[in-house]
């Protein structure tokens, strides 16, 4: 059991759907204790996993701002220089004459050409080799980015198809079990309140009932009645011990589980299902679609070399979406995947220690820890054991009551009580109050025992293990594995688009400086 000062480490159940993605070799006891998603300090460790995404996203954002500033300054200077040179320009025939008569040699060709506003004379290496390599690099990275981003759309949709829907399917299973147990415990609380005073009255009149049992007309039943009355004394003690634990279990099941689960559903089901059906498609299509669009536009205009303002605008927008991909994909998705993998390995440890630390009521804490200790077990159950679940999730005395009911003649007595009390020889010696108590006992006691049996059946590990497995399969596979696949698509697209944006920016700067420097 968990306490406030001694954390408990629990081995996890790792479902088969992981297919080796995570194994028990990845389990670390120290990390298990530190896995506290309810505590902000845990996320300090998560931050280390998202640093690359934050750094790359910030660099992309800085690059975008830098291109905006550079573009604004460069085009303003180009416009001003063009106007000034146009007003200062000599007549064309004069310029032509001066250029023809100029002393232009191989050594001073650059200065002469610059003086007359001619573009720089480039060597073959400068003019063709570097520029063509850069242009072809941009085209190839544009094609790669478009291809990977297209795959990213498919992969993102595929890996998010079942995340929300599967969550609510598992949630429904948990809620149904919680509601069933809560309803049975509520019913059981009322039945115990009915049986207890009736049983008290019967036991006060035990001698009278034993006297009636010795009548010759009840030949063959006196032993049953005598033995059952002895067992009823044990039942009375068990019910007295059970009354408070059953009430506590009912309050915990209703207030903590049923109402808590219903409040969670009311808050999150509608928005998450809306995101599942429409929102995720829009978000994925917009992000990857804009990357595809502006990858092509940016590459086209900077390679083509015309309309530099349009090319600059496209490059700026491309940098914006590169920054988003880095922040969301390399950063946020990596962090979520980090938490999901920890959740797969350490959920059991977290649940045990959280219950031990934060449930204040001693009886509620005892109930919760006993139930968690029973269910959080990676070893599959082999067979149903009568009374085991009732002992764990209600009270050990509940299991004693079921075993007593099954092994004694108490069940036969309760079934025959209506017949016995209506026999003249018995009815004549019973008071009206005792008859009423026997009648209540005959009707309420079997219902109370049936309620405990139903709790024992619903709450047995043979029944709950499948639910436990479904919860772990969702955490480990639908979240951890699917997020890992989603992360791969976003990172690949982000890295390629980052390189493409860098090349487009380089080509844009080169083109603008070459085109406008000597205007």
């Amino acid at each position: 059991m968990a306490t406030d000062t001694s954390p408990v480490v629990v081995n996890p159940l790792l479902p088969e759907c992981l297919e080796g993605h995570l194994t028990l070799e990845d389990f670390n006891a120290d990390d298990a204790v530190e896995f506290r998603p309810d505590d902000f300090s845990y996320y300090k460790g998560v931050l280390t996993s998202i640093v690359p995404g934050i750094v790359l996203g910030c660099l992309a954002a800085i690059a975008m701002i830098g291109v905006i500033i550079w573009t604004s300054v460069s085009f303003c200077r180009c416009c001003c220089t063009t106007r000034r040179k146009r007003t200062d320009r000599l007549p064309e025939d004069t310029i032509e004459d001066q250029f023809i008569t100029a002393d232009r040699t191989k050594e001073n060709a650059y200065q002469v050409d610059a003086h007359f506003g001619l573009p720089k004379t480039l060597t073959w290496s400068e003019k063709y080799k570097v520029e063509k390599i850069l242009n072809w690099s941009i085209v190839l990275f544009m094609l790669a980015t478009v291809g990977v981003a297209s795959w990213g759309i498919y992969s993102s949709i595929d890996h998010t198809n079942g995340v929300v829907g599967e969550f609510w399917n598992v949630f429904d299973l948990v809620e149904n079990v919680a509601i069933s147990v809560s309803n049975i415990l509520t019913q059981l609380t009322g039945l115990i309140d009915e049986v207890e005073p009736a049983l008290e009255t019967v036991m006060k009149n035990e001698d009278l009932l034993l006297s009636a049992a010795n009548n010759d007309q009840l030949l063959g039943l006196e032993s049953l009645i005598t033995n059952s009355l002895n067992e009823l004394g044990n039942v009375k003690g068990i019910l007295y011990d059970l009354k408070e634990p059953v009430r506590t279990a009912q309050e915990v099941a209703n207030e903590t589980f049923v109402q808590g689960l219903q409040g969670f559903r009311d808050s999150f089901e509608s928005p998450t299902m809306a995101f599942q059906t429409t929102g995720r498609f829009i978000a994925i299509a917009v992000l990857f679609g804009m990357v595809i669009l502006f990858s092509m536009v940016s590459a086209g205009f900077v390679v083509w070399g015309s309309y530099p303002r349009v090319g600059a605008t496209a490059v700026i927008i491309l940098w914006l979406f590169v920054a988003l991909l880095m922040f969301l994909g390399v950063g946020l998705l990596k962090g979520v995947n980090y938490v999901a993998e920890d959740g797969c390995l350490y959920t059991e440890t977290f649940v045990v220690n959280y219950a031990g630390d934060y449930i204040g009521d001693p009886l509620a804490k005892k109930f919760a820890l006993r139930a968690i200790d029973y269910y959080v077990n990676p070893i599959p159950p082999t067979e149903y054991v009568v009374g085991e679940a009732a002992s764990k999730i209600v009270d050990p005395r509940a299991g004693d009551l079921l075993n007593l009911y099954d092994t004694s003649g108490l069940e036969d007595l309760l079934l025959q009580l209506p017949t016995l009390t209506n026999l003249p020889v018995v009815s004549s010696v019973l008071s009206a109050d005792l008859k009423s108590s026997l009648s209540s006992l005959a009707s309420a006691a079997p219902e109370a025992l049936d309620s405990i049996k139903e709790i024992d059946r619903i709450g047995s590990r043979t029944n709950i293990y499948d639910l436990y497995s479904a919860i772990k399969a969702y955490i480990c596979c639908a979240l951890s594995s699917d997020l890992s696949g989603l992360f791969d698509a976003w990172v690949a697209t982000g890295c390629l688009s980052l390189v493409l944006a860098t090349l487009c920016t380089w080509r844009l700067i080169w083109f603008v400086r070459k085109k406008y420097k000597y205007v």
Side-chain angles (χ1 to χ4, degrees):
M1 296 294 179
T3 67
D4 294 341
T5 57
S6 57
V8 174
V9 176
V10 183
N11 287 328
L13 168 65
L14 298 179
E16 295 180 358
C17 58
L18 276 172
E19 298 178 346
H21 176 64
L22 290 173
T23 65
L24 286 176
E25 294 180 358
D26 298 310
F27 182 85
N28 182 282
D30 293 333
D31 291 341
V33 173
E34 292 175 0
F35 177 64
R36 296 303 294 259
D38 61 311
D39 188 349
F40 181 76
S41 61
Y42 164 73
Y43 295 97
K44 295 178 181 178
V46 179
L47 287 175
T48 59
S49 69
I50 67 175
V51 165
I54 294 175
V55 171
L56 291 173
C58 289
L59 289 176
I62 292 170
M64 179 188 70
I65 295 170
V67 173
I68 292 173
I69 296 172
W70 176 85
T71 301
S72 302
V73 172
S74 296
F75 286 122
C76 287
R77 288 183 61 191
C78 289
C79 292
C80 294
T81 302
T82 301
R83 291 194 193 99
R84 186 177 65 250
K85 288 195 173 184
R86 282 176 180 172
T87 58
D88 297 340
R89 186 173 293 172
L90 296 171
E92 292 187 6
D93 56 346
T94 305
I95 295 176
E96 184 177 350
D97 292 339
Q98 289 184 9
F99 180 73
I100 292 173
T101 58
D103 184 18
R104 186 175 185 274
T105 64
K106 184 176 180 180
E107 288 74 18
N108 68 359
Y110 171 78
Q111 289 82 3
V112 173
D113 291 349
H115 175 74
F116 289 101
L118 298 177
K120 178 183 176 182
T121 302
L122 300 176
T123 65
W124 181 90
S125 175
E126 292 174 322
K127 187 173 182 180
Y128 295 101
K129 188 175 181 180
V130 176
E131 187 171 359
K132 284 191 174 182
I133 290 175
L134 181 56
N135 286 344
W136 278 109
S137 298
I138 291 172
V139 171
L140 291 175
F141 270 98
M142 181 271 291
L143 294 175
T145 302
V146 169
V148 173
S150 300
W151 166 71
I153 294 175
Y154 166 78
S155 180
S156 297
I157 292 174
D158 181 57
H159 283 98
T160 56
N161 273 336
V163 172
V164 176
E166 287 180 24
F167 172 80
W168 289 111
N169 289 338
V170 174
F171 187 90
D172 288 340
L173 295 174
V174 175
E175 189 176 41
N176 290 337
V177 171
I179 290 173
S180 297
V181 171
S182 177
N183 290 341
I184 295 171
L185 287 171
T186 300
Q187 181 185 17
L188 181 59
T189 301
L191 291 170
I192 290 177
D193 289 339
E194 183 178 349
V195 169
E196 190 177 30
L199 192 57
E200 184 74 24
T201 301
V202 169
M203 296 311 297
K204 284 182 179 179
N205 293 275
E206 182 180 6
D207 293 339
L208 181 61
L209 292 171
L210 288 173
S211 175
N214 291 325
N215 191 284
D216 292 339
Q217 296 185 31
L218 299 180
L219 190 63
L221 294 176
E222 68 278 3
S223 177
L224 171 65
I225 296 173
T226 302
N227 292 335
S228 297
L229 285 173
N230 291 333
E231 298 297 349
L232 282 175
N234 295 330
V235 170
K236 178 186 174 184
I238 292 174
L239 286 179
Y240 180 81
D241 293 339
L242 275 180
K243 188 172 182 178
E244 192 59 34
V246 168
R247 197 177 301 279
T248 300
Q250 189 275 331
E251 290 175 355
V252 171
N254 183 57
E255 296 176 8
T256 302
F257 290 100
V258 175
Q259 293 182 17
L261 292 173
Q262 186 59 51
F264 184 87
R265 180 188 290 276
D266 293 341
S267 299
F268 297 104
E269 184 175 27
S270 293
T272 54
M273 289 306 297
F275 179 77
Q276 171 75 12
T277 53
T278 56
R280 68 188 177 105
F281 295 105
I282 295 173
I284 292 169
V286 168
L287 182 57
F288 283 91
M290 296 298 277
V291 169
I292 292 172
L293 175 62
F294 284 99
S295 293
M296 294 189 293
V297 173
S298 299
F301 276 98
V302 299
V303 170
W304 182 21
S306 298
Y307 303 103
R309 289 177 177 82
V310 177
T313 303
V315 171
I316 290 169
I317 297 175
L318 178 60
W319 274 117
L320 171 63
F321 285 98
V322 170
L324 288 175
L325 277 172
M326 291 302 172
F327 281 129
L328 297 177
V330 185
L332 181 62
L333 276 179
K334 180 63 176 176
V336 174
N337 188 52
Y338 180 97
V339 176
E341 289 188 353
D342 275 3
C344 179
L345 291 170
Y346 309 129
T347 293
E348 289 88 345
T349 299
F350 167 70
V351 169
V352 172
N353 291 300
Y354 182 87
D357 291 345
Y358 292 104
I359 298 179
D361 182 79
L363 283 176
K365 178 185 289 190
K366 184 179 179 182
F367 162 78
L369 290 177
R370 188 170 58 235
I372 292 170
D373 183 62
Y374 174 57
Y375 290 123
V376 178
N377 185 346
I379 302 175
T382 55
E383 59 182 6
Y384 170 62
V385 179
V386 176
E388 183 182 63
S391 298
K392 297 294 184 180
I393 64 177
V394 179
D395 191 84
R397 298 289 274 166
D400 295 340
L401 183 59
L402 286 181
N403 291 325
L404 178 64
Y405 187 62
D406 286 340
T407 57
S408 69
L410 184 58
E411 183 176 9
D412 292 336
L413 174 65
L414 293 174
L415 292 174
Q416 297 186 44
L417 264 181
T419 302
L420 290 172
T421 53
N422 288 329
L423 290 174
V425 65
V426 176
S427 180
S428 62
V429 298
L430 300 182
S431 64
D433 186 35
L434 184 54
K435 287 181 182 180
S436 176
S437 295
L438 287 171
S439 177
S440 297
L441 190 62
S443 61
E447 289 186 35
L449 290 166
D450 287 342
S451 296
I452 296 176
K453 283 183 177 180
E454 186 66 9
I455 291 174
D456 192 61
R457 183 192 66 80
I458 293 176
S460 66
R461 283 195 69 233
T462 53
N463 186 53
I464 297 297
Y465 187 80
D466 289 340
L467 176 59
Y468 174 36
S469 299
I471 294 172
K472 288 306 301 283
Y474 176 77
I475 296 173
C476 296
C477 302
L479 280 183
S480 183
S481 295
D482 283 348
L483 284 173
S484 179
L486 194 64
F487 172 76
D488 294 340
W490 286 55
V491 169
T493 305
C495 291
L496 285 173
S497 59
L498 176 65
V499 176
L500 176 62
T502 303
L503 292 174
C504 287
T505 303
W506 180 14
R507 183 68 179 88
L508 177 69
I509 294 172
W510 186 0
F511 169 74
V512 171
R513 287 177 62 84
K514 183 178 73 172
K515 182 175 179 65
Y516 292 103
K517 184 171 183 179
Y518 305 111
V519 175

